[in-house]
Amino acid sequence: MSFSGVVYVNLSLSLFFFNFKPYFIFYISKPYAWLILQITHHTTMLKPQLNHLHRHKTAPPSLLTRGKKSFIAGDDGGANPTSFLSHNTLAFPVKRYNSFRSHPPNIRKFASQIKAVASEASTASNIKTISLKAVITVQMTVGGALSNIFTQALDDFTDMLGKSLLLELVSAEIDPKTGLMKDPIKDYAHRTGQQENEITYLAEFEVPEDFGSIGAIKIENEHHKEAFVESIVIEGSAIGPITVSCNSWVHSKFDNPEKRVFFVDKVSCLPSNTPSGLKALRETELAILRGEGVANKPREKKDRIYDYDVYNDLGDPDKDPDLARPVLGNKDFPHPRRCKTGRLPTKTDPLSESRSSEVYVPRDEAFSEVKNMTFNIKTVYSVLKAVIPSLETTLIDKNLGFPYFTAIDSLFNEGVNLPPIESDGFLKNILPRLLKSIEDAQNNILLFETPEVIDRDKFGWIRDEEFCRQTLAGLNPLSITLVKEWPLTSKLDPEVYGPPESAITKEIVERAIRGFCTLEEAIENKKLFMLDYHDIFLPYVHKVRELKNLRTTLYGSRTLMYLTPTGTLRPLAIELVRPPGNGKPQWKRAFTPCWDATGMWLWKLAKVHVLAHDSGFHQLYSHWMRTHCCTEPYIIATNRQLSKMHPIHNLLHPHFRYTMEINALAREALINSSGIIESCFTPGKYSTELSSVAYGQLWRFDHEALPADLIARGMAVEDPDSPHGLKLSIEDYPYANDGLVLWDIIKDWVTDYVNHYYPEENLVETDDELQAWWTEIRTVGHADKKDEPWWPVLKTPKDLIGILSTIIWVTSGHHAAVNFGQYDYAGYIPNRTTIARVKMPCEDPTEDEWEAFKRRPEDELLSAFPSQIQASQVMAVLDVLSNHSPDEEYLGAKIEPVFEANPQIKAAYEMFAGRLKELEGVIDARNADESRRNRNGVGVVPYNLLKPFSAPGVTGMGVPNSISI
């Protein structure tokens, strides 16, 4: 007769929110309570052997001799954490049996099963075997300690039994007799120790000599929680250690009975070279990642499915009809695709996807629960979810501007008082740059660091030469173009938008460049350059001006600049245009630097509008669209079509780290309806719609490579006699100068890599996985551009080198150039305003408006800047977006294990890494060169954005492998 006994387990647990050590009571049947005690005396029962061809040579140490372990995994002060039971912590009433012979019937049955396994193993002792050990490294995770306390107890008990992870060694060869996969060699791994944030497990195998080489390992997670498996190292092989780089979440078998498959690092091969014993696994794993046979339902956190969807989750029409947003990813609004989440449609709009507190990304794309990998995402999330809402409560009038310039300066020396923030202790730990506590007050202070641009020159933002210099060495050096034709005209329909001719006339230009050359000579000698935001913004001018919940305005604009003999740019004119509408004709005017008070103030205000245009275009297109959005389809296609055995998957994988996770967060709180972008940038609710229009009109994959981009903008021409094969239109163009060196380094590495795996040209065209990958990127990931003639063909290694170099450049150099200088350049609002909230005072003014402008022009300028709350929100977000996390992986800083497993690839990578270190010195030398006036001079910020390496924090340098923030 069975009856329930009570087991009291002392859990030495120090929870961060409790200050006591609780006792937890488990009700278990009496025989199993007896079993726990018996196990402590019969350690040979801890790890039943599943492999009939092997047994352990040494038994694990008795539980009674192991160090005491606390209940939470890893909280043991370095002691051996094999069990949470010891003779010092047994504090529960049980009936003790005198010996192993006196066990009850159900235990006798269990023991007989163990003996049977051991007996079968002994009968096979005449088979020659090789002893192998597998060391599994699992990273500890954080979060949810209390909510997971009971499953943690079960998992610790599983560890104690030596049944933590079930490993299966898979032969790379099929059985020659049957033509089928050989039976795997199985064993349970038991926990052996812990160092810092890593737990190690050990499995031991006796492998038959005719088993063949090991090609893969299957893992079944016996815990009730998922585990982040970092790596497996198999020791004892004649060829030396065999490494398996996992870096993956392995689900619990209770969530999904399917075992996870990991291929050995050395088995990196094209599909045609796949070992016979791994072909089926290779195909099956891809099918799982594609979600084949899975029901069309909301994805769960544990899922690993990669699929495509349109951007239909930015609006929230169920909350407010005004928060509805158009679907992006169709004929009207072309757009790259995102990862499918499977969330249900909204109630009010069946084409829009409902929103949720968490946005699905495939499990291995997320990183928020692994220690030392939480800095970026948690910091950004905290600013968006805690600091920004807190800011909104500090000011009653959200449109209140800065009353004077010293009020802007106070953000850096006095800060903004915040009300108490929930979990502010945690926030202070991860936001030390932003949140400062006051000893005698309950409130926090949002105190900003001084951006480098005004730390070096507080009044540099006023200077025209600095305004121009930043088009070459600032935050958005990707918009400036060469003027090739005159007169400047619009391509928009004149019936709708008015006369197409520009207000910047030949007379205006020649009056400004008199003494240098004529207009024709300036164009012929490549001396005129432009920021052209005319045709892209003009269709949205009236829409933006009619917004009810945002004080903003918009123009179409052109900014004309002249290249001086010293190699610097000088502004000639700014044109602002309002199309006809609302009963008014087209309004346009050209503003120039001049020497009277009224003209100079109008010039200053015109620059504010251009800066707002450039800030919006930079954030929405140069940054968000060209890097974040356009990369997501590459990631999805790579996981769906390229096996983890494929060398191209291995090459690209480091460059996709965390991108989908940060994109999901952006859709949740940055670019969504009423998010930071819509609330603080000029286009307002039309922001993402504008980025779609820009993608449709401007984006071409073949122009995303840096050399092609420079040529397309007229900033360079091909020249075999010039460095990098290009002659720059502006010799001192820091972004292009440093970027071309970096581009060459990347391309040379990719060339060595591709030529190693594709020594013959036909191998590219006959690689089914590779061809499916490229086809899917073009026709599904960028479906709205699938019929464009400019897509590169993929037939030869040279074609592949160009495609891969472009993708890697976009995720590394391009993104670094437009992201990590955000706070240093835009952290001071006057230097780079994100919004222009008032129209030009000369556009149809009333008498009172004009008199007010004449009386206090400074008020007009301050009114154009963002409001106090907009400025604070933008600065807080830019601070964290410019931040390098402590675990940042920089280009060339860390070799991937799969590269290291191949001597030729390892040598090529070491050369790649060495050249990147040399680039650091090249950039330092250029910044010290006084002849390079666009990166050296009094008060000038050196151009460091493409220096490959950086310390953590906001440094204005460092090129990570991937778009991880």
Side-chain angles (χ1 to χ4, degrees), residues 399 409 426 639 846:
N399 290 318
D409 296 338
F426 167 71
N639 284 279
T846 64

Side-chain angles (χ1 to χ4, degrees), residues 440-486:
D440 299 328
Q442 293 183 346
N443 289 3
N444 296 304
I445 284 187
L446 188 67
L447 185 63
F448 295 96
E449 300 283 337
T450 303
E452 188 173 9
V453 70
I454 62 162
D455 192 40
R456 285 177 174 265
D457 185 354
K458 185 173 182 178
F459 303 105
W461 66 275
I462 300 174
R463 294 188 287 107
D464 287 349
E465 59 271 26
E466 179 63 13
F467 170 78
C468 291
R469 187 192 73 84
Q470 290 185 25
T471 66
L472 302 172
L475 194 52
N476 185 30
L478 293 94
S479 287
I480 185 170
T481 59
L482 176 71
V483 175
K484 300 177 182 179
E485 298 176 349
W486 197 269

Side-chain angles (χ1 to χ4, degrees), residues 16 148 161 168 252 389 410 457 501 544 553 663 803 805 846 962:
F16 69 94
N148 294 317
L161 291 174
E168 298 183 6
S252 165
S410 70
D457 185 354
E501 295 81 17
V544 168
T553 192
N663 286 2
I803 291 168
S805 298
T846 64
S962 63

Side-chain angles (χ1 to χ4, degrees), residues 620-662:
L620 293 169
Y621 183 68
S622 300
H623 182 195
W624 169 248
M625 176 57 67
R626 290 182 67 180
T627 65
H628 288 262
C629 280
C630 289
T631 295
E632 189 149 340
Y634 310 151
I635 302 172
I636 298 172
T638 298
N639 284 279
R640 285 169 54 87
Q641 301 299 341
L642 297 179
S643 164
K644 288 181 170 55
M645 296 174 66
H646 201 293
I648 302 306
H649 183 287
N650 295 331
L651 175 67
L652 290 174
H653 180 71
H655 304 288
F656 296 155
R657 180 182 187 243
Y658 304 160
T659 301
M660 292 179 72
E661 174 91 341
I662 202 69

Side-chain angles (χ1 to χ4, degrees), residues 569-782:
L569 290 171
R570 169 188 164 193
L572 301 181
I574 291 173
E575 177 187 24
L576 299 178
V577 183
R578 182 199 69 198
N582 300 323
K584 295 181 179 181
Q586 182 194 65
W587 180 91
K588 60 185 174 186
R589 180 166 171 178
F591 301 89
T592 60
C594 51
W595 311 109
D596 65 280
T598 301
M600 185 53 71
W601 272 104
L602 289 174
W603 171 248
K604 284 184 172 68
L605 287 164
K607 286 199 297 181
V608 169
H609 283 274
V610 170
L611 286 170
H613 300 167
D614 192 57
S615 293
F617 190 81
H618 157 261
Q619 205 64 264
L620 293 169
Y621 183 68
S622 300
H623 182 195
W624 169 248
M625 176 57 67
R626 290 182 67 180
T627 65
H628 288 262
C629 280
C630 289
T631 295
E632 189 149 340
Y634 310 151
I635 302 172
I636 298 172
T638 298
N639 284 279
R640 285 169 54 87
Q641 301 299 341
L642 297 179
S643 164
K644 288 181 170 55
M645 296 174 66
H646 201 293
I648 302 306
H649 183 287
N650 295 331
L651 175 67
L652 290 174
H653 180 71
H655 304 288
F656 296 155
R657 180 182 187 243
Y658 304 160
T659 301
M660 292 179 72
E661 174 91 341
I662 202 69
N663 286 2
L665 178 59
R667 300 204 313 274
E668 185 182 352
L670 273 175
I671 65 165
N672 61 304
S673 56
S674 74
I676 295 298
I677 296 296
E678 287 194 4
S679 303
C680 302
F681 284 75
T682 284
K685 66 180 288 185
Y686 299 102
S687 293
T688 52
E689 190 176 314
L690 257 169
S691 70
S692 165
V693 171
Y695 169 77
Q697 294 181 10
L698 304 174
W699 189 84
R700 295 176 50 155
F701 182 87
D702 62 328
H703 286 177
E704 291 303 287
L706 177 59
D709 170 60
L710 294 171
I711 292 170
R713 291 189 284 119
M715 301 304 293
V717 293
E718 292 188 53
D719 181 4
D721 296 327
S722 296
H724 320 291
L726 292 180
K727 181 175 176 59
L728 294 176
S729 301
I730 299 177
E731 290 185 12
D732 184 15
Y733 183 1
Y735 166 72
N737 297 140
D738 298 352
L740 286 171
V741 179
L742 182 58
W743 166 266
D744 281 353
I745 293 171
I746 291 171
K747 189 175 181 181
D748 288 347
W749 152 241
V750 173
T751 299
D752 291 339
Y753 190 93
V754 169
N755 287 340
H756 176 78
Y757 286 103
Y758 296 91
E760 300 172 12
E761 285 204 353
N762 68 307
L763 291 176
V764 169
E765 202 163 7
T766 57
D767 186 335
D768 294 338
E769 286 186 10
L770 188 69
Q771 293 299 325
W773 168 78
W774 184 234
T775 298
E776 189 168 285
I777 286 174
R778 292 183 292 108
T779 63
V780 184
H782 288 270

Side-chain angles (χ1 to χ4, degrees), residues 483-488 502 504-506 509 519 523 528 560:
V483 175
K484 300 177 182 179
E485 298 176 349
W486 197 269
L488 304 176
S502 171
I504 303 176
T505 63
K506 177 179 180 179
V509 174
L519 172 63
I523 294 175
L528 290 184
L560 194 66

Side-chain angles (χ1 to χ4, degrees), residues 43-62:
T43 57
T44 55
M45 295 176 60
L46 284 180
K47 207 155 68 72
Q49 304 305 308
L50 297 189
N51 173 19
H52 293 185
L53 299 176
H54 73 287
R55 70 174 60 167
H56 294 307
K57 295 180 178 180
T58 58
S62 168

Side-chain angles (χ1 to χ4, degrees), residues 402 411 448 680 829 866-876:
F402 291 98
L411 293 173
F448 295 96
C680 302
I829 293 299
S867 68
Q868 293 186 42
I869 188 161
Q870 286 173 326
S872 300
Q873 289 175 331
V874 167
M875 291 165 66

